[in-house]
Amino acid sequence: MRLTGVRRFHWARDVEEALSLLDAYHGRGALLAGGVDLGRSARTDLEGLIDIMGIGLSYVREEDGRLRIGTTTTLTEILEHPAARRYLHGALVEVLCRVAVPPLRNMATLGGAVVSAHPWADIPTALVALGAEARWEGEREEHALVEELYRQPFRAVFRRAVLTEIALPPWNGAFAFEKLSRSAGDIALLNAACGVGIQDGKIAWARVAVGATPARAERLTWLEEALQGEAPSDTLWRQVQEEVERRAKVGDDRRASAAWRRSVAGVVVRRAVARAAERAAR
Amino acid sequence: MAVSVAAKARDVVGQNVHKVDGPALVCGKPLFTLDMDVPGALVGKILHSPHAHAMIEAIDTSAAEAIPGVACILHFGNVPRIPHTTAGQGWPEPSPYDTVLFDRKVRYVGDRVAAVAATSEEAADEALRKIRVEYKVLPAVLSVDEALAPGAPVIHDEPDAEGIYDAQRNIAAAVDIPVGDVDRALAESPVTAEATCEIPYLQHTPIEPHCVIAYFDEDGRLVIRTSTQVPFHVRRIVARVLALPMSRIRVVKPRIGGGFGAKQEIILEPVAGALALRTGRPVRIAYTREEEFVASRTRHPMRVTVKLGAGRDGTLRAIDMEALSNTGAYGTHSLTVLSNVGSKTLPLYNKARHLRFHGKAVYTNLPVAGAYRGYGATQGYFALEVAMDILAEKLGLDPLELRQRNHIRVGETSPIFEKIGEGREGKAQIVRSCALPECLRIGAERIGWKRNRGRRRREGPWAYGVGMACAMQGSGITGIDMGAATIVMNEDGSFRLLVGATDLGTGSDTVLAQIAAEALGVSVDKVLVYSSDTDFTPFDVGAYASSTTYVSGLAVLKAAEDVRRQILDVAAAALEEAPEDLELSQGAVRSVRSGRAVTLADVGHRATYVVDQHQIAATASCVAPESPPPFAAFFCEVAVDTETGLVRVERFVAVADCGVAIHPKQAEGQLEGAVVQGIGHALYEEMLFSGRGRCVNPSFFDYKIPSALDVPEVEAILVPSEEPTGPFGAKSIAEVGINGPLPAISNAIYDAVGIRLTRAPFTPERVLSALRSRTG
Ligand SMILES: Cc1cc2nc3c(=O)[nH]c(=O)nc-3n(C[C@H](O)[C@H](O)[C@H](O)COP(=O)(O)OP(=O)(O)OC[C@H]3O[C@@H](n4cnc5c(N)ncnc54)[C@H](O)[C@@H]3O)c2cc1C
């Protein structure tokens, strides 16, 4: 039995109410979005659940080229939203349609995914690569790049704050996402999200994040720098593969060995970078 | 025994009628075991061992018993010790008596230590936490090789166990059956091939985990409502374990949410019964998914080695098959699954005159293996069919042709039928129906065998290949399995069909209704099926060994023919004509002489109320006269990502001969479902264990089975044959489909990239490492 300590259930009407309820529980309450993770949680200390699906954070908006997504938006809602589908020629959709299986995507929210931040998950990898920004409200309103957020003790932050929005910046270029998993609905054995901008036939900028290594996604900044100014070619991609295979930080878990991850890390990054470059050149 | 088959066209058999349980299932009616509330039922829960091998030094339940709501705690100290087997099989039971309800010794992580009954889930959980157990941890044996090593810890050292082959050496069962001189024949064969294939721990993963409610009826009899494939074996074994007269027990089997063999085991029923007896209150127990993985049953992990010897023309001369089976902590089904590895495979290639099947089933301190669709044949075919692929290559022969040259045909036999039975000798039989040649031809055509084989098509990093395999199974267990059916005519001309057979989702209730309806000249909706209840339905061994359509179906047919005779007698009196001149069809009895007719409602009414009043009814039984094998040919196309090792099954064609399919759609569903399950075995499934024997992936989050998103295009094709001994020409279909996917996929990977995958599942990691070691 999960969450056996829960005694009360609240439907918060807005962010403020969610926050005050959260505050009242002194750490023994939790925000409930889709419940995909919380429902599996073994926490027995939780006494109150605060449903935030009705606090007005289910939206997708396009603003100044940025894509702003409210954190209680479900993955299915995002997948079906025209603006989200348009974003970077479908780069976000490419990621989300590889997340879990449709029934889970109907429940899972973007905010829950960012806060849970499973090291094996795909969404953090994509958001880190895309330079996504997170906004939250606790004692005050704050924001940070998702990548930076993950360098802080972010779980503690969200014991007292509501993550309100994820904003994705525009990019003059293209992204591609790769995921290796056993079955279609399985979590990644390794994933990579890569972006490339092309100017005058050369790579103007590159973004590369690799996740499920089995650690949470990190950018390969050394590769991003090395790619700048290079002309896309098969030789370059081969070098990318070899270098990533040589330098990637990978480990063992029961799903895959470090040795296998090492040999395929180069492959997935090469595939993602090459596909992104191809798209960017179009 | 041959049953006469009416030569006329069939009205019901062979039609895709609505499933008799379809509407209730679709409407979400309360059908399943736990859909019924028994007021005041206690929640039963089980305390599982955290150790792979340990002695219980002391158990203190006082703190747990003090929890409000806790009614009873059972453990080795307060329950009689009665050795038994949990295998729901016929009599005499072929599995060793190496299990007691609660033992002082625990033999795997998940073994039963104690059981609690409490008024609430929470109280029961708390009680489990508060039972204090002192263990003396013993060295554990976590592989068959460790178990067989000299000086290995002895897992079953209890003096009261019976029927263990060699307890001191951890061998639960052993088989050695030679035919001819296999060593010499192998040595003298110009071409030989060998393969060793391994299958890991696999779980059945039925949608509905094991669950049971035990309560006392108004007469004080113990009623056990349980999700089981074997209600009558449940009654027999519970009676033994609880030392109750069988007549004091009634077992009710509601609709089952899947079993695949896992529910051919008597696991929770005696526990629930014991708790109910002790408390005098109803008790319900339901396994969680995690418990289903670690504390129900699994497929027997196995290493099978096949050596083949052939002449240069491809005619097989010798097959040596050796199986090393891991039965886990208890020997349920250990001997019979082991025997089936050989008995269901070797007859397929009966051109080989020299055969040997030998093997051992070994105890380990790991979860308990039991019956699982395919029942050893799946493990045997993996090695046999990979070895056949290797042999074909050595001979320079098309693998398809190698099969065509060697497979058994109508009118032929194999000495294995007689030599290996179910825990004892078998019975000689000849094959009376076999459409395998057609299956092979159609399958090869559908997959484009000639066109695609050996082409090594590439698309970027993806390499494509096709592979194939053949398989057979049986239909029931010859001379052992008995099924019975009762048909009672109602006064409105409808019928009640009472069967002990258990529909575990296979659709057997519908199939049996069709057989009755066909013989009684009515539509299926006039046959009300009731299965199964040991108080109301006649005996049936239950749903296993692919027996229901064949064995129980024959019983239904016999009963229906008897009832039909009785109907004709009543109609003859009503019409004042001779029964020989009457014909029963479409709900009426007609005279072929005068054309006069009475409806079945007239007949029912007359017999019930009017003249010569009596109940039109009959009970008939059938003991499997033979076990006619269904045959199948499997073809698939795979794609291998040569850079990552990922394997995708692109297409799968399974072509089977199950005789006359009584309900073709359901038969196709069985075939298709088995193929999907087989794809899971090939690509995803494996229970993993820590160094201390704890299963580390007991959930669907970690243990993957194929979902709709993973299933490729599966063509399930039935090629009819007419089995003369079967009901309306039918034989089985439930299991044969699981035997092909593993070898067919392995062979297809070889065709694509030239590596032999012999250890399931074929994970990206294993595939890539094989690819790398080949290229060096
Ligand atoms: C079987 C399975 C498969 C999965 N597969 C994938 C996959 O393939 N790829 C992938 O990327 N991910 C995958 N996931 C992860 C999935 O994306 C997340 O579990 C899901 O998005 C969580 O969202 P939720 O709304 O259900 O969160 P909840 O369970 O409701 O919440 C999760 C946590 O976040 C907190 N929280 C939620 N919303 C907020 C908020 N707005 N502000 C502050 N705190 C908040 C909650 O308090 C809780 O601690 C999988 C998960 C499961 C269970």
Side-chain angles (χ1 to χ4, degrees):
Chain A
M1 279 268 281
R2 314 267 185 199
L3 298 174
T4 44
V6 172
R7 295 288 171 266
R8 280 166 197 273
F9 195 95
H10 310 267
W11 275 276
R13 279 162 296 193
D14 50 34
V15 174
E16 207 172 309
E17 189 180 357
L19 280 172
S20 61
L21 281 163
L22 202 53
D23 202 40
Y25 276 102
H26 302 289
R28 292 176 172 271
L31 301 179
L32 176 71
V36 170
D37 281 318
L38 209 54
R40 305 188 325 127
S41 158
R43 283 180 71 177
T44 48
D45 61 319
L46 287 179
E47 287 169 10
L49 292 182
I50 302 146
D51 189 304
I52 56 168
M53 294 306 279
I55 62 174
L57 295 178
S58 294
Y59 61 83
V60 179
R61 286 181 206 136
E62 235 167 353
E63 245 173 59
D64 317 325
R66 288 160 74 81
L67 186 72
R68 297 173 45 185
I69 306 176
T71 47
T72 59
T73 318
T74 66
L75 303 186
T76 301
E77 284 165 350
I78 301 173
L79 275 168
E80 286 172 355
H81 198 283
R85 299 182 72 84
R86 267 197 308 275
Y87 177 71
L88 279 173
H89 307 289
L92 186 61
V93 171
E94 190 186 7
V95 178
L96 295 186
C97 70
R98 297 288 311 273
V99 171
V101 289
L104 272 175
R105 294 202 292 261
N106 292 342
M107 304 197 295
T109 66
L110 185 62
V114 172
V115 174
S116 285
H118 300 290
W120 43 257
D122 308 309
I123 292 169
T125 309
L127 297 184
V128 164
L130 286 166
E133 188 182 71
R135 295 186 164 272
W136 64 93
E137 282 180 42
E139 274 169 27
R140 49 202 147 78
E141 286 188 36
E142 293 186 71
H143 63 92
L145 290 177
V146 170
E147 186 184 0
E148 280 163 18
L149 186 67
Y150 287 156
R151 295 209 193 97
Q152 307 167 21
F154 64 96
R155 290 191 208 282
V157 172
F158 295 112
R159 295 246 161 88
R160 288 141 185 256
V162 178
L163 180 67
T164 50
E165 187 179 277
I166 300 295
L168 303 170
W171 290 93
N172 187 10
F175 277 77
F177 173 71
E178 289 281 334
K179 170 178 182 174
L180 292 178
S181 63
R182 293 172 303 174
S183 63
D186 196 9
I187 62 172
L189 299 166
L190 198 89
N191 59 31
C194 303
V196 170
I198 306 269
Q199 221 166 24
D200 306 328
K202 296 239 163 74
I203 294 175
W205 58 264
R207 304 273 299 188
V208 179
V210 181
T213 60
R216 192 178 307 116
E218 282 192 28
R219 277 172 58 203
L220 308 187
T221 43
W222 56 267
L223 178 61
E224 295 174 357
E225 282 157 23
L227 281 170
Q228 265 176 45
E230 297 286 337
S233 72
D234 286 345
T235 322
L236 180 66
W237 306 145
R238 254 197 310 283
Q239 282 170 359
V240 166
Q241 176 172 343
E242 280 163 19
E243 280 302 297
V244 172
E245 186 169 334
R246 208 165 58 77
R247 292 181 63 171
K249 280 186 269 169
V250 291
D252 282 300
D253 64 4
R254 66 167 176 268
R255 296 172 161 268
S257 71
W260 178 80
R261 283 204 169 93
R262 178 164 299 290
S263 29
V264 298
V267 175
V268 295
V269 171
R270 184 205 77 214
R271 287 180 182 176
V273 174
R275 269 201 307 127
E278 200 178 299
R279 287 177 182 174
R282 271 191 216 140
Chain B
M1 179 202 69
V3 172
S4 60
V5 177
K8 63 175 177 150
R10 289 155 187 161
D11 294 325
V12 188
V13 159
Q15 308 296 323
N16 292 322
V17 301
H18 287 308
K19 274 168 73 77
V20 296
D21 51 352
L25 284 169
V26 169
C27 298
K29 296 288 182 207
L31 296 168
F32 296 94
T33 299
L34 295 184
D35 287 344
M36 186 179 84
D37 271 337
V38 179
L42 298 170
V43 178
K45 290 212 174 219
I46 296 189
L47 180 67
H48 299 284
S49 166
H51 302 294
H53 201 188
M55 288 300 293
I56 299 174
E57 303 267 87
I59 187 159
D60 176 1
T61 56
S62 52
E65 271 159 13
I67 296 164
V70 171
C72 169
I73 299 177
L74 302 178
H75 52 82
F76 76 88
N78 59 10
V79 170
R81 188 183 164 87
I82 298 173
H84 64 278
T85 174
T86 58
Q89 296 178 274
W91 188 270
E93 295 172 311
S95 297
Y97 289 175
D98 59 2
T99 307
V100 294
L101 210 44
F102 301 97
D103 202 350
R104 214 185 171 107
K105 190 178 188 188
V106 287
R107 296 180 177 82
Y108 72 104
V109 177
D111 207 350
R112 207 148 55 194
V113 173
V116 171
T119 49
S120 72
E121 187 112 12
E122 289 77 9
D125 274 329
E126 203 187 335
L128 292 185
R129 281 193 297 274
K130 293 217 167 130
I131 298 175
R132 263 186 275 287
V133 189
E134 270 175 51
Y135 295 96
K136 185 176 140 221
V137 177
L138 303 171
V141 171
L142 300 180
S143 72
V144 283
D145 299 315
E146 284 171 48
L148 291 174
V154 177
I155 296 170
H156 283 277
D157 48 2
E158 69 275 19
D160 53 357
E162 283 173 45
I164 298 177
Y165 179 79
D166 185 347
Q168 284 311 308
R169 290 166 59 215
N170 290 323
I171 303 174
V175 179
D176 191 349
I177 286 149
V179 176
D181 186 346
V182 89
D183 289 337
R184 207 168 121 196
L186 277 173
E188 288 173 359
S189 291
V191 186
T192 59
E194 181 175 339
T196 297
C197 292
E198 251 180 281
I199 287 184
Y201 264 101
L202 302 168
Q203 220 279 323
H204 310 64
T205 66
I207 286 186
E208 174 201 40
H210 286 76
C211 52
V212 57
I213 307 179
Y215 59 96
F216 290 94
D217 69 8
E218 51 284 4
D219 299 320
R221 289 171 73 231
L222 179 62
V223 183
I224 299 176
R225 181 179 158 97
T226 178
S227 180
T228 182
Q229 296 171 224
V230 287
F232 288 86
H233 296 332
V234 170
R235 186 178 62 171
R236 188 187 71 235
I237 292 175
V238 170
R240 174 188 174 90
V241 177
L242 300 184
L244 284 177
M246 216 193 285
S247 60
R248 303 303 296 164
I249 301 173
R250 170 181 170 199
V251 177
V252 181
K253 171 223 69 90
R255 185 61 162 72
I256 311 175
F260 307 107
K263 292 173 182 168
Q264 197 195 334
E265 287 280 332
I266 286 70
I267 303 174
L268 294 178
E269 293 90 349
V271 182
L275 289 169
L277 269 176
R278 199 62 68 90
T279 58
R281 295 178 60 178
V283 175
R284 59 185 273 167
I285 310 182
Y287 262 173
T288 61
R289 181 59 60 187
E290 183 175 344
E291 287 176 303
E292 191 65 22
F293 271 100
V294 300
S296 74
R297 296 294 177 257
T298 69
R299 192 183 281 290
H300 284 80
M302 230 182 263
R303 191 157 75 215
V304 179
T305 299
V306 169
K307 293 181 192 149
L308 302 174
R312 292 208 186 280
D313 65 346
T315 308
L316 284 171
R317 294 184 183 177
I319 310 177
D320 181 303
M321 184 182 265
E322 181 175 12
L324 190 54
S325 172
N326 177 357
T327 191
Y330 297 94
T332 165
H333 295 277
S334 53
L335 171 62
T336 38
V337 164
L338 178 65
S339 303
N340 259 265
V341 176
S343 70
K344 293 289 182 281
T345 55
L346 298 177
L348 181 61
Y349 298 125
N350 67 333
K351 303 301 169 284
R353 298 259 198 74
H354 301 275
L355 304 166
R356 186 172 169 213
F357 174 68
H358 48 132
K360 296 183 187 78
V362 177
Y363 288 118
T364 58
N365 292 117
L366 287 168
V368 186
Y372 190 155
R373 187 185 218 170
Y375 204 75
T378 309
Q379 291 92 320
Y381 275 113
F382 184 14
L384 179 61
E385 289 299 277
V386 167
M388 286 292 277
D389 210 60
I390 296 172
L391 182 66
E393 189 181 32
K394 285 193 163 179
L395 287 162
L397 204 63
D398 183 339
L400 176 64
E401 212 177 312
L402 180 64
R403 265 80 170 196
Q404 286 165 334
R405 283 196 193 170
N406 287 287
H407 75 72
I408 197 164
R409 285 168 167 75
V410 171
E412 296 181 356
T413 186
S414 158
I416 293 294
F417 287 131
E418 191 175 356
K419 293 259 179 180
I420 321 180
E422 191 85 348
R424 46 166 133 151
E425 289 205 340
K427 231 181 116 190
Q429 70 174 34
I430 60 164
V431 166
R432 301 175 196 273
S433 62
C434 175
L436 188 54
E438 272 301 279
C439 296
L440 284 165
R441 191 184 61 71
I442 292 169
E445 202 176 283
R446 299 299 305 168
I447 204 80
W449 183 255
K450 289 261 160 357
R451 202 166 60 244
N452 291 319
R453 173 84 187 172
R455 243 190 73 206
R456 303 249 155 123
R457 179 164 70 88
R458 291 291 289 249
E459 255 173 51
W462 291 92
Y464 293 79
V466 292
M468 66 155 302
C470 290
M472 54 170 254
Q473 195 82 25
S475 303
I477 307 169
T478 312
I480 292 182
D481 275 355
M482 190 269 275
T486 297
I487 298 179
V488 181
M489 190 182 196
N490 296 320
E491 65 229 60
D492 67 347
S494 63
F495 299 90
R496 275 178 289 139
L497 170 60
L498 311 176
V499 286
T502 51
D503 187 335
L504 63 154
T506 53
S508 67
D509 280 354
T510 304
V511 163
L512 297 180
Q514 282 177 279
I515 291 172
E518 182 70 44
L520 292 167
V522 293
S523 52
V524 167
D525 60 334
K526 290 282 183 291
V527 179
L528 314 166
V529 190
Y530 185 69
S531 75
S532 12
D533 180 327
T534 57
D535 267 16
F536 298 110
T537 59
F539 183 89
D540 191 296
V541 286
Y544 58 88
S546 289
S547 62
T548 305
T549 298
Y550 185 71
V551 180
S552 313
L554 281 173
V556 169
L557 183 55
K558 270 166 83 179
E561 283 173 347
D562 191 343
V563 165
R564 178 196 171 91
R565 269 190 299 276
Q566 298 176 36
I567 291 171
L568 293 186
D569 284 344
V570 173
L575 294 169
E576 297 175 327
E577 300 210 28
E580 303 79 64
D581 294 331
L582 302 181
E583 216 178 53
L584 168 53
S585 74
Q586 292 176 350
V589 182
R590 249 173 231 90
S591 161
V592 285
R593 223 159 41 88
S594 65
R596 289 195 308 139
V598 279
T599 64
L600 283 180
D602 293 338
V603 171
H605 183 79
R606 183 182 168 97
T608 312
Y609 298 116
V610 187
V611 273
D612 186 22
Q613 285 159 264
H614 68 284
Q615 173 68 62
I616 294 179
T619 295
S621 354
C622 170
V623 181
E626 302 190 349
S627 183
F631 296 93
F634 304 87
F635 293 83
C636 68
E637 180 177 23
V638 303
V640 182
D641 181 343
T642 51
E643 292 182 324
T644 65
L646 216 70
V647 176
R648 260 187 351 228
V649 178
E650 300 280 295
R651 265 184 329 138
F652 208 107
V653 180
V655 194
D657 156 24
C658 62
V660 169
I662 306 283
H663 192 296
K665 261 268 138 356
Q666 286 190 166
E668 284 164 20
Q670 286 293 303
L671 187 57
E672 195 176 323
V675 165
V676 172
Q677 210 166 25
I679 291 174
H681 287 9
L683 299 185
Y684 314 131
E685 295 177 53
E686 178 168 25
M687 285 168 69
L688 299 169
F689 297 92
S690 75
R692 293 176 167 193
R694 173 182 293 276
C695 177
V696 294
N697 58 342
S699 80
F700 288 138
F701 188 76
D702 270 340
Y703 182 101
K704 285 293 160 192
I705 56 173
S707 75
L709 297 173
D710 298 293
V711 179
E713 190 189 319
V714 177
E715 275 186 75
I717 303 170
L718 302 176
V719 179
S721 69
E722 185 93 22
E723 170 54 42
T725 67
F728 297 108
K731 8 181 220 188
S732 84
I733 186 69
E735 294 183 275
V736 68
I738 190 78
N739 297 334
L742 269 164
I745 292 169
S746 173
N747 294 340
I749 293 173
Y750 184 78
D751 186 51
V753 290
I755 53 167
R756 289 267 172 222
L757 273 296
T758 53
R759 191 160 178 228
F762 315 140
T763 59
E765 185 148 358
R766 286 185 185 143
V767 173
L768 191 65
S769 123
L771 278 168
R772 292 271 158 101
S773 54
R774 186 203 46 178
T775 49

